[in-house]
């Protein structure tokens, strides 16, 4: 079920290609084979969701795509077309800087890219506004709630308008309403300019609602055990949740994951 | 929820707002007043007890002069008089201390930050610096005298070297313990190494660095007085006068000297603390009285 997809038109170029990617942690002591082998091709403008059991290497894979850590083996290639920043990432844990006010956090990527402060502020405010944080622009992060901090991190990643957006369970800390609002916001932003998105989630609903494709990963060492194309038309809205196909797809994914989690708890690597 | 049971009495728990919850502004205002009362009240009470003990003869007033005696002595000797003007000595001592502290901080920060950031440098220098750290700095005065000459420089050097180790160690550890998560967040935006330092490593380390600066401000005063006991060019300086009071059996002057040294220490440490607070407004600070 991997990679090559017959429906894909020939004009579309592959944006990210991973071949034989592994990652092993630990040097001299205990070694952990976190991930691999992973082979994968993602086309330009695709919204790809990744699901898999906890600890299977999803965050590790994203960090490799972002270039924060290198693969232990194999290659990850991607092509970019603009001069600006190619990837930006929303991290699983809070990663905004406590010593910068909300707006300065949101502007961070623009600052280091040398964008003027005026233009930077304008763009940071634009995204803070979209995420409902315009009022708190001058606040210190320590005075925000967990979900608000996460929204600042999302604004910071979006403000640089990257070609590839990497999101590691970005909505996990949010309440159901905010989650739904942000899902719709993200879909809208994505539909407007079709960036390539890699989106990790534990919520199968979320994966199906947002993704063009859902990749299912095995338990550690993570491999891609299924690559499922989501059949729903775009633009999508939350109403698809009630459809028959949606339920069917969810249970299909659920079954795949259940096997993996069982495997793991049985001690099979 | 209450469970009715024959044997146990029925109990209801209630959560109600305390006075502080109802009117936090008023609570904070009052707490600030009580903070000041406590912080000022304690030394005042102690001094009063001391005064009573001295004047009523419970303690020997010649060796433990009453606070009022010391105040009288201060009034007399802070102007020109046969015993010499204290202001001149304070000025000279403060100058020595600031030079020593300044050099110590400068080198301490430089080595601390660079060694925190670059592993190779750390591996190369750390064992040597650790070894030097334990050398008693006062013992260096003889060497510094020979190398630097008989003026303020050896004294400044001893203070500087002492301060250096405190600042170096604290800032190196501060830089090394910057959370990876925050560094990765910055690197994900393709920050250059310098940008990473300026936007993440340095601010993240700053609160702890200031702790080091505060500790070493106190250490600078201690070292100053200590060195002036054994070496004080021009026979001037707070430490010299305290030591001199001992040799001429003038305990009042020694007490004045101790008071001056303590005041200098408090002022200096507080200045560093306030500067630190202004430069790290994001970190929750301990704002009791000052
Ligand atoms: N820096 C590291 N050093 C050692 N092991 C690591 C490191 N980072 C990750 N691992 C290990 O690699 C494996 C995969 O971790 P990763 O964070 O990628 O999981 P994940 O799929 O994102 O899990 P979750 O869904 O819980 O976030 C785990 O077993 C983890 O313990
Ligand atoms: Mg993860």
């Amino acid at each position: 079920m991997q990679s090559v997809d017959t429906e894909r038109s020939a004009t579309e170029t592959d944006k990210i290609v991973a071949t034989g990617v592994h990652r092993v942690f630990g040097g001299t002591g205990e070694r952990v084979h976190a991930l691999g082998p992973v082979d994968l091709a993602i086309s330009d403008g695709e919204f790809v969701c990744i699901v898999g059991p906890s600890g299977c290497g999803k965050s590790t894979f994203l960090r490799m795509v972002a270039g924060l850590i290198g693969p232990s083996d194999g290659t990850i290639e991607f092509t970019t077309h603009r001069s600006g920043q190619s990837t930006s990432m929303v991290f699983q844990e809070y990663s905004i800087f406590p010593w910068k006010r909300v707006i300065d956090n949101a502007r961070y990527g623009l600052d280091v890219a040398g964008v003027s402060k005026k233009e930077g502020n304008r763009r940071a405010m634009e995204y803070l506004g979209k995420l409902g944080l315009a009022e708190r622009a001058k606040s210190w992060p320590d005075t925000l709630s967990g979900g608000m901090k996460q929204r600042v991190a999302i604004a910071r990643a979006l403000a640089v308008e990257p070609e590839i957006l990497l999101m590691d369970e970005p909505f996990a800390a949010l309440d159901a309403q905010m989650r739904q609002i942000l899902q719709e916001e993200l879909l809208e932003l994505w539909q407007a300019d079709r960036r390539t998105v890699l989106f990790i989630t534990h919520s199968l609903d979320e994966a199906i609602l947002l993704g063009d494709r859902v990749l299912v990963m095995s338990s550690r060492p993570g491999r891609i055990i299924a690559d499922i194309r989501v059949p729903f038309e775009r633009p999508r809205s939350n109403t698809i949740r009630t459809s028959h196909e949606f339920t069917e797809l969810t249970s299909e994914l659920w079954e795949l994951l259940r096997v993996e989690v069982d495997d793991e708890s049985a001690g099979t690597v | 929820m209450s469970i009715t049971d024959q044997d146990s009495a029925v109990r209801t728990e209630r959560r109600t707002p305390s006075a502080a919850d109802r009117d936090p502004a008023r609570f904070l205002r009052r707490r600030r007043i009580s903070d000041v009362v406590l912080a000022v009240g304690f030394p005042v009470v102690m001094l009063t007890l001391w005064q009573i003990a001295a004047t009523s003869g419970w303690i020997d007033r010649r060796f433990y002069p009453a606070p009022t005696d010391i105040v009288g002595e201060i009034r007399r000797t802070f102007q020109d008089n046969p015993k010499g003007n204290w202001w001149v000595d304070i000025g000279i001592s403060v100058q020595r201390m600031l030079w020593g502290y300044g050099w110590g901080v400068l080198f301490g920060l430089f080595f601390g930050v660079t060694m925190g950031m670059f592993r190779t440098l750390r591996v190369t220098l750390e064992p040597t610096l650790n070894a030097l750290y334990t050398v008693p700095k006062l013992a260096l005065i003889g060497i510094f005298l020979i190398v630097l000459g008989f003026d303020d420089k050896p004294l400044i050097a001893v203070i500087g070297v002492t301060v250096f180790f405190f600042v170096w160690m604290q800032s190196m550890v501060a830089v090394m313990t910057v959370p990876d998560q925050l560094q990765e967040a910055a690197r994900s935006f393709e920050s250059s190494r310098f940008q990473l330092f300026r936007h993440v490593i340095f601010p993240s380390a700053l609160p702890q660095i200031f702790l080091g600066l505060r500790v070493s401000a106190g250490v600078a005063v201690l070292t100053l007085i200590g060195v002036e006991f054994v070496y004080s060019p021009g026979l001037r300086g707070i430490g010299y006068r305290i030591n001199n009071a001992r040799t001429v059996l003038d305990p009042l002057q020694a007490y004045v000297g101790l008071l001056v040294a303590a005041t200098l220490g408090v002022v200096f440490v507080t200045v560093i603390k306030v500067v630190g607070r202004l430069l790290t407004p994001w970190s929750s600070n301990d704002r009791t009285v000052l």
Side-chain angles (χ1 to χ4, degrees), chain A residues 155-182:
Chain A
R156 183 177 68 182
L158 291 175
V160 295
E161 299 177 350
E163 281 187 54
I164 300 169
L165 185 58
L166 307 169
M167 305 183 93
D168 191 353
E169 297 184 37
F171 303 151
L174 305 175
D175 61 87
Q177 289 75 26
M178 184 48 75
R179 181 182 260 257
Q180 200 156 325
I181 290 169
L182 289 185

Side-chain angles (χ1 to χ4, degrees), chain B:
Chain B
M1 188 178 69
S2 65
I3 304 154
T4 335
D5 191 312
Q6 289 175 318
D7 293 323
S8 66
V10 179
R11 230 179 51 183
T12 45
E13 274 190 55
R14 294 179 65 204
R15 304 269 182 270
T16 50
S18 67
D21 295 326
R22 270 187 221 286
D23 189 352
R26 179 154 170 271
F27 171 76
L28 287 176
R29 220 166 37 239
R30 299 188 81 170
R31 194 176 65 176
R32 205 175 151 67
I33 294 169
S34 69
D35 282 353
V36 173
V37 168
L38 284 173
V40 176
F42 176 72
V44 166
V45 168
M46 292 309 287
L47 286 172
T48 313
L49 286 178
W50 181 2
Q51 177 75 28
I52 293 168
T55 47
S56 58
W58 297 339
I59 53 177
D60 191 334
R61 207 163 171 173
R62 281 169 306 167
F63 303 125
Y64 309 105
T68 46
D69 299 341
I70 299 171
V71 171
E73 179 79 355
I74 288 174
R75 213 179 271 139
R76 273 192 305 284
T77 56
F78 263 73
Q79 296 138 17
D80 268 326
N81 65 79
K83 287 177 175 176
N85 189 342
W86 264 104
W87 287 117
V88 179
D89 295 86
I90 293 172
I92 287 170
S93 281
V94 165
Q95 240 176 55
R96 291 168 178 165
M97 184 192 71
L98 287 181
W99 277 111
Y101 183 76
W103 283 113
V105 167
L106 198 71
F107 280 93
L109 279 181
F110 179 77
F111 279 89
V113 168
T114 51
M115 284 173 69
M117 283 185 75
F118 303 105
R119 199 180 154 274
T120 322
L121 201 64
R122 187 161 66 242
V123 169
T124 313
L125 296 180
E126 201 183 345
T128 311
L129 284 179
N130 276 337
L132 292 175
Y133 171 58
T134 50
V135 172
K137 305 306 169 301
L138 209 53
L140 295 175
I141 188 87
I143 300 167
F144 285 149
L145 278 172
I146 298 165
V147 178
L148 299 171
F150 287 77
D151 54 9
D152 274 0
K153 280 195 212 94
L155 207 160
I156 289 170
V158 172
I159 299 173
V161 170
T162 310
V163 166
F164 167 83
F165 282 98
F166 282 81
V167 177
W168 160 66
M169 212 171 264
Q170 194 90 28
S171 51
M172 183 173 77
V173 171
V175 166
M176 281 167 61
T177 50
V178 175
D180 279 344
Q181 187 63 49
L182 295 177
Q183 297 199 47
E184 284 200 348
R187 284 175 47 216
S188 76
F189 289 100
E190 297 173 3
S191 319
S192 68
R193 211 172 165 109
F194 175 73
Q195 285 169 328
L196 184 67
F197 172 75
R198 165 167 135 41
H199 287 288
V200 178
I201 293 175
F202 189 66
S204 171
L206 205 53
Q208 208 188 331
I209 288 178
F210 261 100
L211 185 62
L213 294 183
R214 238 163 88 185
V215 171
S216 54
V219 168
V221 177
L222 292 179
T223 315
L224 167 81
I225 307 297
V227 181
E228 282 179 344
F229 260 55
V230 294
Y231 171 70
S232 199
L235 303 183
R236 282 284 188 191
I238 302 166
Y240 171 77
R241 291 196 66 154
I242 297 173
N243 194 39
N244 193 48
R246 178 180 62 86
T247 52
V248 300
L249 293 175
D250 185 352
L252 265 180
Q253 276 294 296
Y255 280 103
V256 173
L258 291 178
L259 206 65
V260 168
T263 311
L264 178 62
V266 168
V267 169
F268 193 34
V269 172
T270 306
V271 166
I272 302 294
K273 185 173 162 186
V274 169
V275 171
R277 199 151 73 203
L278 292 176
L279 291 181
T280 58
W282 63 88
S283 65
S284 51
N285 277 298
D286 155 38
R287 286 160 207 268
T288 44
V289 177
L290 238 182

Side-chain angles (χ1 to χ4, degrees), chain A residues 90 114 125 252:
Chain A
V90 179
M125 275 314 284
E252 187 187 339

